[in-house]
Amino acid sequence: MAKKFYITTPLYYVNASPHIGHSYTTIAADCLSRYMRQILGEENVWFLTGTDEHGQKIQRAAGAAGLSPQEFADKTVLQFENLWKTLNVSYNDFIRTTEDRHTKTVQKVLEILYAKKQIYSAKYEGWYCTPCETFWTQTQAQDQNCPDCRRPLEKISETNYFFKLSEHQDWLIGYVLQHQDFIKPPSRYEEVLRFLELNKLNDLCISRPKERLNWGIPLPFSPDHVTYVWFDALINYISAVGTFDKEGKYVSKWWPADLHLIGKDILRQHAVYWPIMLHALDLEPPRTIFAHGWWLISDTKMSKSRGNVVSPLEMVNKFGVDVYRYFLLRDVPFGLDGNFSEEALVKRFNSDLANDLGNLVYRTLTMIEKYFGGKIPEGSVSAKNSQANAIRVKIEQLDIRIPGNLGASGDCNFNAVLENVWEIINMANKYVEDTKPWNLDKENKIEELKAFILVLVMVIRKIEHIILPFMPQTAALIKEQLGEKEIKKGGPLFPRIEK
Ligand code: MSP
């Protein structure tokens, strides 16, 4: 296994407040980082997130708010930083594309690629969608509406700079074919491969004339143009963790990234533009790009205009951080779309958290209090009992299964891991019910009672360790309540929500 793990989230646009979609990718990245820290140690994991602050969207939102783009970005970025704090997101670095370290690297990349003749200027005539910041050809723009957002396109004619995407198409196809883990899940791998095999890549327009957009990084070889926001933003993944030396060689402790987590909406940019940009720079592509599904509301997209945007802060205030984190990672397989609703969340809360996990911890602590005066009995777990044995076997299987499901493998089967953990929780709860410890106590079978409690203590400690990346606060609370030698009983971890 690799000795280091470098994981990233997309850089979120600062034109609007963060919503549950943004929090989804970030929580997933946090979970994987925490898991990989357990395995590789703190110092070998690097978790990067940040904000995408240039471009038309931000310039326009700032204008509407009567602020300069920088003032506007400075204000909105706080919302992201505060939300990540609230959600216990343990990033190592937060990069903003308006920072010096980033703009310098972008300009360096442009210089290198220009010198290598990978960037050239040409007159562009065609159709442009300002909201999407995307160019379309005559054929694509049949009805003069944007094929993506359906808004009217603008006819433009201007000189721009282009990056030679097309030159590297065959290389990319070969690379994808040779690296089955490059794009995940497999459905997205197929999607990209098919796209590359069926379409001819156009060169990418990487500039915007200043008179049309001035909120961007100036091209070093043409100060009348700024850099296209996507070309700018993707570079963050290298600008945050390394620098180009005088000879133009990129030096970094962390590159290549082990995992770029993204939503399925931005797969093309990450799986086509970005690896080609890196290849043109003689840099290695990221090991894996994982594109997850979308959270929808009653099967429709969240949007301001529909007024159905869910605020992560509101959910956290209502239900608690870990409940929110648990729900997002448990309810839907990571690669698929899912519907977000409070009803679904409350259902999970009451069944998985209150009834199953909360109950197991609470009843175990109660028994330790009642039968052993709050002291955890000493001794090692000897599983003579067949149920206890089955639990042990299940835990051993899980230890083998988790690394294949999370992290270094590039897979993100959060829900599968949690399902497995809950099988163990349910087995342990059933073990309590079947053993009827109150009878053992009545009959004074202290040794049996002790053996029984020790199995439960072992199970809870194990669960606490496994759920830590998913629910850090709950794990800490369990650890505090079930101390090394004695317990410190508090209230139930998840008191049921009554409708
Ligand atoms: N700034 C670009 C990314 C540049 S990366 C170098 C961008 N920003 S964004 O603010 O629009 O964020 C997009 C990302 O937010 C998605 O890829 C996904 O990670 C997350 N989500 C936004 N809406 C989402 C849902 N409804 N559901 C799940 N995640 C989605 O694109």
Side-chain angles (χ1 to χ4, degrees):
M1 194 203 296
K3 290 245 163 33
K4 62 99 188 151
F5 188 71
Y6 171 33
I7 180 170
T8 67
T9 73
L11 294 199
Y12 305 108
Y13 287 128
V14 287
N15 60 320
S17 306
H19 59 62
I20 58 168
H22 306 124
S23 75
Y24 187 41
T25 325
T26 311
I27 286 171
D30 183 62
C31 179
L32 290 173
S33 306
R34 288 175 183 269
Y35 168 68
M36 290 308 288
R37 287 187 194 116
Q38 285 181 332
I39 294 178
L40 299 178
E42 295 275 332
E43 67 286 3
N44 294 315
V45 173
W46 199 254
F47 168 15
L48 174 72
T49 188
T51 42
D52 191 351
E53 306 193 349
H54 290 125
Q56 195 82 52
K57 271 196 232 289
I58 284 92
Q59 183 167 293
R60 195 167 303 141
L67 296 171
S68 74
Q70 189 65 64
E71 286 166 343
F72 186 77
D74 289 348
K75 223 172 119 183
T76 328
V77 75
L78 297 176
Q79 293 188 34
F80 282 89
E81 287 172 343
N82 289 337
L83 178 62
W84 302 155
K85 209 177 277 165
T86 304
L87 292 174
N88 278 321
V89 173
S90 61
Y91 57 77
N92 295 96
D93 192 8
F94 188 108
I95 189 161
R96 304 177 56 185
T97 54
T98 48
E99 283 171 41
D100 244 19
R101 59 172 170 159
H102 177 71
T103 56
K104 278 197 182 123
T105 304
V106 170
Q107 291 194 316
K108 187 79 197 167
V109 165
L110 287 162
E111 267 169 20
I112 295 172
L113 294 178
Y114 191 61
K116 285 179 131 183
K117 307 225 176 328
Q118 289 289 314
I119 292 175
Y120 61 91
S121 77
K123 184 123 175 131
Y124 179 83
E125 272 181 20
W127 297 93
Y128 188 64
C129 176
T130 314
C132 296
E133 302 185 49
T134 307
F135 290 96
W136 300 103
T137 61
Q138 186 66 41
T139 352
Q140 291 167 318
Q142 286 292 349
D143 59 355
Q144 292 166 25
N145 285 324
C146 172
D148 267 358
C149 74
R150 307 303 308 155
R151 278 175 279 205
L153 294 167
E154 237 180 290
K155 177 122 206 199
I156 57 167
S157 162
E158 59 196 26
T159 297
N160 265 317
Y161 287 81
F162 292 82
F163 169 57
K164 288 187 182 166
L165 268 194
S166 57
E167 199 176 284
H168 304 281
Q169 179 158 3
D170 290 344
W171 166 79
L172 184 58
I173 293 175
Y175 187 87
V176 172
L177 284 172
Q178 279 161 26
H179 296 82
Q180 299 286 321
D181 285 346
F182 182 47
I183 301 160
K184 291 201 169 182
S187 57
R188 301 290 165 206
Y189 176 94
E190 293 300 328
E191 180 185 319
V192 172
L193 191 57
R194 213 164 310 127
F195 168 77
L196 286 170
E197 286 175 340
L198 297 179
N199 296 279
K200 194 162 165 15
L201 288 181
N202 293 321
D203 287 345
L204 181 67
C205 180
I206 56 138
S207 69
R208 301 290 182 265
K210 263 214 164 140
E211 62 261 25
R212 204 145 57 72
L213 173 72
N214 61 35
W215 184 233
I217 302 174
L219 297 187
F221 41 82
S222 175
D224 293 339
H225 288 89
V226 299
T227 313
Y228 169 45
V229 65
W230 266 105
F231 193 88
D232 160 352
L234 288 163
I235 293 171
N236 91 85
Y237 300 130
I238 55 171
S239 69
V241 293
T243 45
F244 284 90
D245 67 14
K246 284 210 183 70
E247 283 76 50
K249 192 175 166 324
Y250 178 69
V251 189
S252 168
K253 173 178 171 200
W254 297 102
W255 194 258
D258 295 273
L259 189 54
H260 286 325
L261 279 192
I262 57 167
K264 64 178 186 181
D265 50 321
I266 55 177
L267 182 58
R268 178 91 44 95
Q269 292 87 340
H270 281 82
V272 178
Y273 302 172
W274 181 226
I276 292 183
M277 286 163 70
L278 289 162
H279 182 64
L281 287 164
D282 293 321
L283 289 176
E284 257 185 89
R287 296 228 158 82
T288 300
I289 298 162
F290 194 110
H292 64 67
W294 269 44
W295 282 104
L296 305 169
I297 309 293
S298 313
D299 289 322
T300 53
K301 217 172 144 171
M302 264 186 292
S303 79
K304 252 192 188 165
S305 52
R306 286 200 188 93
N308 62 355
V309 178
V310 181
S311 146
L313 279 181
E314 203 186 310
M315 291 303 111
V316 169
N317 290 338
K318 242 172 152 167
F319 302 107
V321 183
D322 280 1
V323 177
Y324 180 66
R325 290 175 60 117
Y326 174 78
F327 178 76
L328 292 185
L329 298 175
R330 171 66 184 85
D331 214 49
V332 177
F334 199 52
L336 304 182
D337 289 352
N339 275 303
F340 186 93
S341 74
E342 279 192 35
E343 295 78 71
L345 196 151
V346 168
K347 217 165 141 196
R348 284 255 168 237
F349 182 103
N350 280 339
S351 65
D352 303 8
L353 298 175
N355 276 5
D356 302 342
L357 175 61
N359 186 23
L360 176 65
V361 174
Y362 193 73
R363 71 198 325 184
T364 303
L365 294 177
T366 305
M367 289 187 284
I368 295 174
E369 187 175 51
K370 198 162 161 197
Y371 305 138
F372 298 97
K375 296 226 173 356
I376 297 167
E378 279 175 30
S380 55
V381 187
S382 63
K384 283 185 212 121
N385 174 295
S386 67
Q387 265 176 302
N389 226 343
I391 294 175
R392 266 241 295 242
V393 170
K394 199 93 199 162
I395 288 178
E396 278 162 20
Q397 286 170 347
L398 187 56
D399 277 340
I400 298 168
R401 218 176 278 168
I402 295 180
N405 272 318
L406 289 184
S409 64
D411 277 315
C412 299
N413 296 323
F414 302 107
N415 69 317
V417 171
L418 290 171
E419 248 170 64
N420 284 318
V421 171
W422 256 256
E423 270 174 37
I424 295 170
I425 293 174
N426 291 334
M427 286 169 88
N429 273 326
K430 177 134 197 326
Y431 179 45
V432 176
E433 280 135 34
D434 293 350
T435 305
K436 301 190 177 61
W438 45 94
N439 286 342
L440 296 181
D441 179 53
K442 245 189 263 155
E443 293 159 18
N444 220 3
K445 292 184 172 161
I446 290 300
E447 283 311 307
E448 270 178 61
L449 199 53
K450 202 168 122 180
F452 160 77
I453 286 289
L454 281 172
V455 171
L456 297 181
V457 169
M458 180 269 294
V459 168
I460 294 174
R461 292 214 163 112
K462 186 72 197 180
I463 289 168
E464 176 259 304
H465 183 76
I466 302 176
I467 65 167
L468 185 144
F470 298 82
M471 298 193 275
Q473 230 172 52
T474 304
L477 209 61
I478 293 176
K479 198 168 184 157
E480 191 189 306
Q481 295 194 355
L482 185 70
E484 279 291 312
K485 294 209 154 87
E486 52 193 83
I487 63 158
K488 207 166 131 198
K489 198 164 152 235
L493 293 173
F494 304 100
R496 267 186 83 84
I497 299 173
E498 304 298 345
K499 192 87 185 169

